[in-house]
Amino acid sequence: MYDQPRPNPATPAMTFDQMLERVRYEGAYPTRERAGQAVHHVLAALGRQLTGDERVDLAHCLPVEAALTLSAQIPETEHLTGWGFVKDLAARTGVSPAVARWDTGAVLAVVTRLAGPDLLARILRRLPDGYALLFGQAELRRPEPAAA
């Protein structure tokens, strides 16, 4: 009885309007429209970098509108570092790297809360170095193999 699928899937922890308000607060944006632009640009950029089950699981945590933005992107074959992600976002949106970094931090702070610690850890393991800071997490160095 308990292992049968439920007729209604779980709903995300917040609506898209709530997500926009949270990003607006995090980024100190003057309008919801500006927060919405940041959400769209950052999630599209993340959708180009994230693959596998982590991409699917993250989409399930997001409000539908945000999940569509993330999952509509075709993942790129070249994975960018965290700084490369910011520079690519700046180039695609026509803003300075500082503004792109600000937008990234504001959006990913909310995404971090929606994803939770376990999924976030899986996402960070899949992405190259430099993304932990973008998600507001400590950047831990990976141990290097000992030289023989």
Side-chain angles (χ1 to χ4, degrees), residues 77-107:
T77 56
E78 179 186 348
H79 292 282
L80 302 171
T81 64
W83 177 235
F85 177 89
V86 171
K87 289 192 307 186
D88 181 63
L89 180 62
R92 288 177 186 260
T93 59
V95 299
S96 71
V99 171
R101 175 61 182 95
W102 183 268
D103 290 349
T104 300
V107 174

Side-chain angles (χ1 to χ4, degrees), residues 8-9 26 32 37 43 45 60 64 72 87 93 100 115 129 139 144:
N8 296 325
E26 290 288 337
R32 287 173 54 109
Q37 288 173 347
L43 289 180
H60 282 290
V64 173
K87 289 192 307 186
T93 59
D129 290 338
E139 181 75 44
E144 296 181 21

Side-chain angles (χ1 to χ4, degrees), residues 3-41:
D3 58 347
Q4 295 179 359
R6 295 180 183 173
N8 296 325
T11 57
M14 66 175 63
T15 66
F16 188 64
D17 287 337
Q18 290 169 327
M19 182 181 190
L20 289 181
E21 281 304 316
R22 195 74 217 150
V23 169
R24 182 177 177 195
Y25 175 80
E26 290 288 337
Y29 297 117
T31 63
R32 287 173 54 109
E33 291 76 24
R34 178 63 184 94
Q37 288 173 347
V39 167
H40 175 72
H41 293 307

Side-chain angles (χ1 to χ4, degrees), residues 34-73:
R34 178 63 184 94
Q37 288 173 347
V39 167
H40 175 72
H41 293 307
V42 172
L43 289 180
L46 186 60
R48 289 189 293 274
Q49 295 298 310
L50 192 58
T51 60
D53 290 339
E54 290 76 17
R55 176 183 169 109
V56 173
D57 292 346
L58 180 58
H60 282 290
C61 295
L62 298 174
V64 173
E65 298 88 338
L68 289 173
T69 298
L70 176 83
S71 59
Q73 305 305 309

